[in-house]
Amino acid sequence: MMAVILAGGLGTRLKEYTKEEVPKPMVKINGEPILQYQLKNLKKYGINEIIMVLGYMGNKIKEYFGDGTKFGVTIKYFEETIPLGTAGALYYLGNILQKQFIVVYGDIIFDMDFDRFISFHSKNGAVCSMVIHPNNHPFDSDVIVLDNNNKVTEILEKNQNRDFYYNNCVIAGVFLLDISILEYIKEGKKLDLEKDVVMKMLPTKKVFGYRTTEYLKDMGTPERYLLVQEHISKGIVAHGNLSNRQKAVFLDRDGTINKYCGLVSKPEEMEILEEAYTAIKLLNNSEYLCIVITNQPVIARNLCTIDDLNNIHKKLDYELGVRGVYIDDLYYCPHHPDKGYPEENKLYKVECECRKPKTGLVQKAAEKYNIDLSASYFIGDTTVDVQTGKNSGMKTILLASGEGGKDAKYEAIPDYFAADILEAVKIVIPE
Ligand SMILES: [Mg+2]
Ligand SMILES: [Zn+2]
């Protein structure tokens, strides 16, 4: 596999951290330029044919990396004489590109399992797969809208006024493309990969969003630069690679994150508990992934549609995002086993494998994110949650908030009791 690294971006707001002026991809972290971290990660997955697109002060990059031998890869260079944006240079690479190739922005630090990403792309028969993730500032990031099969239906640009709820699915800057995308790229044009190419493909081509919890961060500001430096030193960046076993805190939704008010069937009824913001922030800054597992029989009972439920979850994502926190992923069961009500949606009135306390959703998350369940926790306000945790081999915490265990459907004894989600998270992550 081959990768094109877009290293032509301008220099930087990070001048205070570099003695001389350098292009942003050459900014050093713990003695190595960003590009070198990228090469190491790509090479680990056999992606060792590299094309670097150069612009501003490109000769500094060429001097450092040469033909790539020293770094165990081969590097070819394309030097832009006029700025061609993030996609324009691909036109000139047409004869050396392979059928499929990775494109990465040269100014981000990432460490990801490319085997997983590539197999996602193949499985979907995609023409373009974009790596996406939730971050702590979705409101000033480019985000995408996905359908229920992870197909991208829309790109929302960061400068657009968004007066609606949307999921925290931020474009991370790593792409896997099929060579056929070249039909969208014309000679000598400055083109933006997201806006001028991918967005035009959406109506007719298979464009998918690959959601990951792995570390991918840009360093647009000095604060973010310092944070990334710290995360590299502490091994957080490397550990996040999904080839490593992860730990997670699984959270119930109603009565745990949001105020308990029976069945929630419209966004107005989704009211996040104040302590949930603080609790989720603690999780975001910890080694634990934060994954929501929720039974939503509102679908089977026909109290709302899947689109309505998605909107409720968009509100959840949005409100958390405004406060700079996020959940890594959310899984719901739309089913209910008891048939025979006049208003029911028969399609979802089935005995399924995903309704808690069954472990279908937990297993799905564990597989996707390589989670070690024996090192993970389930936190919820019902005995159903406790039983789900037990059935999955996790430690469990029962909350006094929400239903406070009064559902009494199972006799499972939790490992811990806590007043609310914040107290529970503090049991998982002692101060
Ligand atoms: Mg609950
Ligand atoms: Zn189900």
Side-chain angles (χ1 to χ4, degrees):
M1 181 74 74
M2 169 182 260
V4 178
I5 301 180
L6 305 174
L10 279 182
T12 90
R13 281 178 275 174
L14 298 171
K15 268 180 211 142
E16 52 201 281
Y17 298 104
T18 58
K19 288 194 188 73
E20 43 177 342
E21 189 166 16
V22 294
K24 199 167 158 200
M26 286 303 287
V27 168
K28 287 186 178 170
I29 305 178
N30 301 339
E32 287 180 11
I34 295 170
L35 285 174
Q36 195 171 338
Y37 287 97
Q38 296 192 342
L39 290 184
K40 271 194 276 189
N41 184 214
L42 291 163
K43 181 178 175 290
K44 189 172 162 196
Y45 293 91
I47 304 160
N48 42 26
E49 285 180 66
I50 308 294
I51 302 172
M52 288 193 189
V53 176
L54 305 180
Y56 176 75
M57 298 178 85
N59 48 354
K60 296 235 173 198
I61 295 176
K62 246 168 133 174
E63 266 166 37
Y64 188 92
F65 289 98
D67 65 1
T69 315
K70 264 205 295 194
F71 304 90
V73 297
T74 60
I75 305 178
K76 293 192 178 109
Y77 297 96
F78 175 81
E79 296 177 58
E80 292 184 343
T81 46
I82 50 160
L84 294 168
T86 45
L90 295 177
Y91 177 87
Y92 300 95
L93 305 177
N95 49 1
I96 52 172
L97 289 173
Q98 296 164 346
K99 166 116 179 57
Q100 286 182 348
F101 55 96
I102 307 268
V103 171
V104 309
Y105 294 161
D107 58 357
I108 53 174
I109 281 290
F110 56 79
D111 194 324
M112 53 181 280
D113 180 345
F114 277 93
D115 289 344
R116 277 177 189 255
F117 181 40
I118 293 166
S119 90
F120 170 89
H121 182 83
S122 313
K123 198 185 75 208
N124 288 311
V127 174
C128 164
S129 298
M130 321 166 82
V131 175
I132 54 150
H133 60 172
N135 75 6
N136 59 8
H137 52 103
F139 40 85
D140 67 357
S141 303
D142 292 323
V143 302
I144 54 155
V145 179
L146 289 176
D147 73 8
N148 296 320
N149 301 311
N150 298 314
K151 200 164 172 281
V152 180
T153 57
E154 244 183 296
I155 296 177
L156 310 174
E157 291 174 79
K158 60 178 147 212
N159 46 14
Q160 116 191 49
N161 174 32
R162 301 178 197 149
D163 53 356
F164 48 85
Y165 298 132
Y166 55 92
N167 283 120
N168 187 344
C169 290
V170 173
I171 300 175
V174 176
F175 306 81
L176 180 45
L177 302 172
D178 186 275
I179 188 122
S180 65
I181 70 128
L182 289 183
E183 65 182 270
Y184 294 87
I185 300 172
K186 300 283 174 276
E187 186 175 0
K189 281 256 161 54
K190 184 178 177 186
L191 295 171
D192 184 85
L193 181 58
E194 295 164 21
K195 196 169 59 184
D196 300 319
V197 181
V198 179
M199 219 188 269
K200 297 218 164 89
M201 294 163 64
L202 296 181
T204 53
K205 300 283 192 281
K206 286 182 157 186
V207 178
F208 282 83
Y210 174 73
R211 189 176 178 112
T212 184
T213 56
E214 292 163 310
Y215 201 93
L216 295 115
K217 255 195 199 36
D218 83 274
M219 281 150 293
T221 63
E223 298 74 47
R224 281 184 211 159
Y225 170 80
L226 290 175
L227 194 67
V228 170
Q229 186 168 46
E230 184 191 324
H231 289 160
I232 289 179
S233 307
K234 286 185 175 166
I236 293 170
V237 177
H239 179 76
N241 184 306
L242 288 182
S243 63
N244 299 315
R245 299 285 267 164
Q246 307 293 315
K247 298 186 204 178
V249 169
F250 290 86
L251 298 171
D252 166 54
R253 199 192 79 178
D254 303 329
T256 299
I257 296 175
N258 53 292
K259 210 174 261 178
Y260 179 73
C261 61
L263 294 170
V264 173
S265 61
K266 30 183 175 313
E268 302 85 275
E269 294 163 351
M270 164 56 65
E271 211 181 313
I272 301 173
L273 296 163
E274 191 53 38
E275 54 272 22
Y277 292 107
T278 319
I280 295 172
K281 187 172 201 122
L282 284 175
L283 289 173
N284 291 161
N285 292 330
S286 78
E287 58 190 323
Y288 290 90
L289 305 182
C290 167
I291 293 173
V292 176
I293 304 283
T294 179
N295 285 350
Q296 289 304 324
V298 282
I299 302 298
R301 294 196 185 179
N302 234 345
L303 297 172
C304 71
T305 64
I306 296 277
D307 278 351
D308 296 332
L309 182 57
N310 287 340
N311 271 330
I312 291 165
H313 292 147
K314 282 176 186 170
K315 180 177 182 187
L316 174 64
D317 256 14
Y318 176 89
E319 303 268 339
L320 292 173
V322 168
R323 301 276 290 268
V325 302
Y326 57 88
I327 47 182
D328 287 297
D329 212 340
L330 176 148
Y331 295 83
Y332 64 82
C333 164
H335 308 109
H336 194 268
D338 305 334
K339 293 194 186 74
Y341 299 90
E343 74 287 358
E344 72 192 17
N345 184 339
K346 290 204 166 42
L347 202 57
Y348 295 98
K349 280 284 184 182
V350 292
E351 195 63 62
C352 66
E353 287 309 313
C354 58
R355 183 171 161 81
K356 293 185 289 187
K358 288 190 179 161
T359 60
L361 299 178
V362 169
Q363 298 298 341
K364 213 166 150 187
E367 196 179 315
K368 177 153 169 58
Y369 298 116
N370 195 14
I371 295 167
D372 177 0
L373 294 174
S374 68
S376 300
Y377 290 79
F378 205 110
I379 298 176
D381 67 319
T382 64
T383 61
V384 175
D385 296 315
V386 175
Q387 190 62 47
T388 310
K390 298 256 172 215
N391 291 347
S392 323
M394 285 185 246
K395 290 182 209 69
T396 56
I397 308 178
L398 179 62
L399 306 183
S401 63
E403 293 186 71
K406 291 190 190 67
D407 62 311
K409 284 188 189 138
Y410 297 91
E411 281 170 20
I413 308 291
D415 295 288
Y416 305 93
F417 293 91
D420 57 29
I421 183 175
L422 181 55
E423 202 180 294
V425 166
K426 285 181 175 169
I427 293 173
V428 179
I429 312 164
E431 275 161 297

